[in-house]
Amino acid sequence: MHNQNHPPPLPLHRRWVRRRAWPNRVFAVVYASAIAALVFRHTTHLLTSHSTLVSLTMLLADVILAFMWFTHQGFRMNPVRRKTFPENLPEDGTGFPAMDVFICTADPEKEPPMVAVNTALSTLAFDYPTEKLSVYLSDDGGSKVTLFAFVEAAKFAKEWIPYCKENRIMDRSPEAYFSSDYACFPRTHEIKVMYESMKAKVEKGDINNVYEETNVFNQWDANFTRQNHPTVIKVLLDGTEESDVLGHAVPNLIYLRVSEAMTNAPIILTLDCDMYSNHPKTPLKALCYFLDPSTDSNKIAFVQFPQIFQGIKEDDIYGAEFKFIFQINMAGFDGLLGPSHVGTGCFFRRQVFYGGPSSGTLEQTQTQSIRSNKVLDRCHEVASCDFEAQTKWGYELGYRYGSMIEDFNTGYHLHCNGWRSVFCLPKRPAFVGTAPRNLHDLLNQTQRWSMGLLDMNFSKYSPLNHGLKHLTFFQSMCYIHYIFWPIWCIPLLIYSLLPQLALIHSFPIFPKVSDPWFLLYGLLFVGAYGQDFLEYKLGGGTTRGWYNNQRAWMIRSLSSYTFAIIEYTSTKLWASPAVFNVTSKVVDQEASTRYENGMMEFGVESLFFYPISVAALHNLIALIFGVVGVLKHGGLEDLFMQFLLVGFGVVNSWPIYQAMVFRSDPGKMPLKITLTSVAIASMLNLVAPFAF
């Protein structure tokens, strides 16, 4: 019983299991039974088949599809929802831990400096005690232009931060704010003019004007390269010495990620350079989990917010929102040990990078001035390229470097080490970023992810062995599902080629309509697609958006997953290093206009476009030959399922036919790819007689 003079603390968050959990479990049992029946049918059919090769190939495709479905069930067993109550935290910030914000950028050409500037300004203006907030820019590209942009941003921040807080602005990214239907306050016009002036100066890149203020730019000499250059550290704002235009202290702003040596805050927020804050109280929502006395909060390693993207049309023609990965599956992860880490929008407990849940506290230890010689000397030492050499950092401690999916890898290892995590999905997105708005960039991005997943799959820490030993069964299944992501290409390639070849030659490979097994195939198709559709709709998506998402999945499977396996295999056979390509954040206005009109962007001679073009044409040829064959010889009942499959492929391929034949804009399919794909699709018919 609580003492009447000391009432129980108010709750900071609530968690409940979603209503779909039990229906998901029942459906999983029913669907698994149907899969078992399908495997039985395949086995018996092998004994009577006239083409063992065809039967074995179709069995392989269905076994992989069944495996991927089975591993996906981990996300569906216990999906949860959460709600935070930041209003129950102390209004004056008493007891709040210090917080370091890491903003990462790598290439000023693909990630314009003003994008990173807006992200930094949106976090500098958090509704959080300024004396406990520090923002660091980690510039992997070592760009003089980026540093110049942040020198200018530091000046503007002294105007922008008090303007936002005085007027309780929600959009604290200046670009987002002034691009919206913003309200006018006494200094709005003046602030806008200042922002536009800063933006113009940065985009012009007139760096010579700041040489008088700082000599840090002298380090960019003839020997300075992105791969080999001296350590550049610059304190742009020091909260202990500087104030804004109203005389209030400002947060710290530092160029280079050296927070342990400077502020050593117990909480770390990681952000991509384009992922600006969309709600000033987001840090308080994260604290609702780290500080909640009613839960086992000391085991929470990180609080992950979803990646939400600006500028994506509601119907999302590329599936670039990745709603299943960043939202729907995350709710399923959250009902187990917690979500995976997705690289951005994540609040970490610093302690997790140094050990397990039983070690450390949320205490800040750095007390010296961040501009002191001792601190700066230590920063240069920490930032040197050989500081971590011959240590466990990056491999057994800290962030797991050396991978194309270091974020996913880091979260996985934290879970294996006994930590938990939390998924926070507020109604108003906490952070908003930029997604690829052309197909080539999207496929390049997913190929990079796929190669990282393959590398994780074949490592000694693979979820298939290490994960099953250290995680719960369903949590392991979730991670296993992702590391096998690229093998989607195998059944998709088979289903895009073999049934079509069989239809061209009037060779049935599925049960005829009157066969009871026909109902089983129908149940499996409708069941899988129906559940997928229901989850997408319950996650806030549209029907058209779901349709585009499943089409995008097929395109990725045929292209980026296929080439990921090919490139990963070649890097292992010839020991060549994989190349990390930064996804461009630059907006092409003409391409954006086509995107707004629902037109897919091809336009470049990319290898990615060959398999999807060949598959599209192959389906069309099969449909034409199939119709002609049935009209001449009959047999529709035997070939009906193949007609359904090929028709489905043709309908999904409409944007590709459109890009090949009906478009003349720069985003159309290159003529070389079209002609080559026609030749390959035609030649496929030559191999068909050897298979049947």
Side-chain angles (χ1 to χ4, degrees), residues 556-599:
R556 292 195 304 269
S557 298
L558 292 173
S559 55
S560 48
Y561 298 170
T562 301
F563 284 108
I565 290 178
I566 293 172
E567 186 170 349
Y568 178 78
T569 303
S570 66
T571 59
K572 293 304 176 183
L573 289 177
W574 288 281
S576 58
V579 178
F580 183 94
N581 293 313
V582 177
T583 303
S584 177
K585 309 300 191 305
V586 179
V587 178
D588 182 311
Q589 193 56 50
E590 289 187 12
S592 292
T593 301
R594 290 191 289 271
Y595 174 82
E596 292 298 326
N597 292 329
M599 300 169 68

Side-chain angles (χ1 to χ4, degrees), residues 522-571:
L523 171 65
L524 289 169
F525 180 85
V526 173
Y529 265 78
Q531 187 176 32
D532 192 80
F533 171 73
L534 184 61
E535 287 181 329
Y536 195 89
K537 289 286 286 184
L538 291 174
T542 65
T543 300
R544 182 72 182 183
W546 169 81
Y547 173 77
N548 289 338
N549 185 74
Q550 62 84 30
R551 180 176 60 199
W553 164 71
M554 289 191 282
I555 290 174
R556 292 195 304 269
S557 298
L558 292 173
S559 55
S560 48
Y561 298 170
T562 301
F563 284 108
I565 290 178
I566 293 172
E567 186 170 349
Y568 178 78
T569 303
S570 66
T571 59

Side-chain angles (χ1 to χ4, degrees), residues 152-341:
E152 296 301 311
K155 302 173 190 174
F156 179 69
K158 295 180 180 181
E159 304 278 352
W160 177 246
I161 295 172
Y163 173 78
C164 290
K165 293 186 175 181
E166 271 190 322
N167 300 305
R168 299 182 179 180
I169 304 298
M170 289 295 289
D171 293 315
R172 299 194 177 179
S173 156
E175 189 68 30
Y177 176 66
F178 291 120
S179 299
S180 66
D181 186 18
Y182 59 90
C184 286
F185 299 102
R187 297 190 66 218
T188 299
H189 179 70
E190 179 184 351
I191 294 292
K192 183 177 182 181
V193 169
M194 292 174 64
Y195 172 68
E196 294 295 341
S197 174
M198 176 192 70
K199 181 179 177 181
K201 190 174 182 181
V202 168
E203 292 179 345
K204 183 180 178 182
D206 189 9
I207 299 175
N208 293 330
N209 291 336
V210 299
Y211 269 106
E212 297 179 358
E213 302 172 35
T214 175
N215 61 2
V216 70
F217 293 97
N218 293 329
Q219 296 183 68
W220 275 269
D221 56 24
N223 298 319
F224 193 109
T225 66
R226 291 177 62 179
Q227 292 75 28
N228 185 18
H229 58 78
T231 301
V232 181
I233 299 174
K234 180 63 178 175
V235 177
L236 302 172
L237 289 175
D238 182 349
T240 62
E241 299 178 3
E242 299 176 72
S243 57
D244 61 31
V245 292
L246 296 183
H248 303 138
V250 292
N252 300 316
L253 177 62
I254 300 100
Y255 178 86
L256 201 65
R257 184 165 55 180
V258 284
S259 75
E260 180 188 3
M262 282 193 166
T263 50
N264 200 37
I267 301 295
I268 297 170
L269 166 61
T270 60
L271 286 175
D272 283 345
C273 68
D274 65 317
M275 211 77 183
Y276 66 84
S277 169
N278 193 51
H279 198 302
K281 296 188 181 297
T282 294
L284 306 185
K285 295 180 183 294
L287 290 190
C288 286
Y289 298 105
F290 287 124
L291 301 181
D292 195 338
S294 64
T295 64
D296 200 7
S297 60
N298 63 325
K299 289 187 178 180
I300 296 176
F302 58 88
V303 177
Q304 179 68 65
F305 288 82
Q307 288 204 46
I308 305 293
F309 303 105
Q310 62 178 338
I312 290 184
K313 290 193 66 176
E314 187 179 36
D315 293 340
D316 192 10
I317 58 173
Y318 298 130
E321 186 179 20
F322 290 102
K323 183 178 284 289
F324 278 98
I325 297 174
F326 295 136
Q327 298 178 46
I328 298 170
N329 288 353
M330 284 295 204
F333 248 142
D334 201 16
L336 305 171
L337 296 179
S340 57
H341 172 40

